[in-house]
Amino acid sequence: MKKLPEMGMSVKEDKCPVCGKEGFELRELPYEVPGFGTMLIISMRCPSCGFKHRDILGLRFGEPTRQEFKVEGPEDLKVRVIRSSSATIRIPELGVTVEPGPMAEAFISNVEGVLERVERVVAMMARFAETPEERARAAEVLARIWEAREGRLKFTLIIDDPFGNSLIAPPDKSRVKVRRLTPEEIRELKTGPFVPIDIRWSASEGSEKGAGAVRESGGEGG
């Protein structure tokens, strides 16, 4: 394995673990998060078979943690969110749960960016709905997501991470409720690669009607 010099970034080349060809690229970039410490942004790419993956790792051992943030208005949509590939996202008011799967990728974004990702998946479900009822339920959820993106719907963003590598970072840190996950909660969490992504909403999680389920294989939905 050889290391290639690059500004502020460690770049390595090796054989691809998927196709076995040379040229597989692994990039590691340290990223300083105020109040959280240094994180390592990792990206992998193979130009031969197209395999790619991104992740974010804390350079300290994290506890299994739940972070909960109440979004009260438009300004809160700008709050930074770091989601590792092991994290589960929940928005109870929309009845939405986003679980990590085989190609789940980490991202650094904000609350609005989280809503955009959820919206893309729900829109895909609407396109492939097989019944008028499924299309109507997807349309209902999309309408609520649009309300949330416009700052007209208050909602709760919850991130459960069994490895403690995710973060919700508003200017006022006291607005985020943080607690350790219980052993029972940890056992029920999916933990990332090689586990299916399951995005679902149900009557028990914030809406009067369940809107079905959609399963992704990876990409932006992770």
Side-chain angles (χ1 to χ4, degrees), residues 4 7 26 31 42 45 52 71 102 117 129 150 200 204:
L4 306 176
M7 293 291 292
L26 172 64
Y31 184 85
I42 300 171
R45 186 181 70 88
K52 62 180 180 178
V71 179
R117 289 166 184 266
E150 291 175 356
R200 63 185 184 272
S204 62

Side-chain angles (χ1 to χ4, degrees), residues 29-39 80:
L29 177 66
Y31 184 85
E32 190 68 26
V33 182
F36 194 71
T38 303
M39 307 194 77
R80 177 174 297 178

Side-chain angles (χ1 to χ4, degrees), residues 14-215:
D14 203 351
K15 287 185 178 180
C16 175
V18 177
C19 69
K21 294 184 179 180
E22 296 286 350
F24 176 77
E25 208 171 66
L26 172 64
R27 294 171 178 258
E28 299 176 345
L29 177 66
Y31 184 85
E32 190 68 26
V33 182
F36 194 71
T38 303
M39 307 194 77
L40 196 64
I41 302 174
I42 300 171
S43 63
M44 293 169 266
R45 186 181 70 88
C46 177
S48 298
C49 68
F51 170 77
K52 62 180 180 178
H53 184 69
R54 287 178 297 174
D55 206 347
I56 299 171
L57 298 176
L59 297 185
R60 63 181 185 182
F61 183 76
E63 292 187 340
T65 301
R66 166 169 290 185
Q67 302 203 25
E68 185 173 325
F69 177 62
K70 297 283 188 182
V71 179
E72 303 286 350
E75 284 300 310
D76 290 341
L77 297 175
K78 301 175 184 177
V79 167
R80 177 174 297 178
V81 175
I82 298 174
R83 187 261 195 172
S84 79
S85 63
S86 62
T88 294
I89 295 173
R90 307 182 199 277
I91 306 177
E93 293 82 359
L94 300 178
V96 170
T97 298
V98 183
E99 294 179 328
M103 295 295 289
E105 291 191 327
F107 60 79
I108 299 175
S109 185
N110 55 23
V111 173
E112 184 175 15
V114 174
L115 290 173
E116 288 175 356
R117 289 166 184 266
V118 173
E119 181 182 341
R120 284 198 293 269
V121 177
V122 178
M124 181 181 69
M125 178 185 175
R127 289 196 300 273
F128 291 100
E130 296 181 354
T131 67
E133 290 78 12
E134 289 177 351
R135 286 192 290 273
R137 289 195 292 268
E140 179 183 344
V141 175
L142 280 173
R144 291 177 64 80
I145 292 173
W146 293 333
E147 280 188 73
R149 289 189 60 182
E150 291 175 356
R152 295 187 288 112
L153 176 68
K154 296 181 180 181
F155 63 93
T156 309
L157 176 62
I158 299 171
I159 300 182
D160 291 339
D161 193 331
F163 304 124
N165 282 323
S166 297
L167 178 70
I168 305 173
D172 181 0
K173 296 177 184 177
S174 68
R175 293 186 58 197
V176 181
K177 295 181 181 178
V178 181
R179 69 167 174 84
R180 184 183 175 89
L181 293 168
T182 67
E184 292 75 19
E185 289 170 331
I186 295 169
R187 280 195 293 270
E188 292 184 0
L189 287 176
K190 292 181 171 61
T191 55
F194 311 112
V195 179
I197 293 175
D198 183 15
I199 296 183
R200 63 185 184 272
W201 39 86
S202 65
S204 62
E205 288 190 313
S207 64
E208 294 182 358
K209 295 182 180 179
V214 60
R215 189 175 299 277

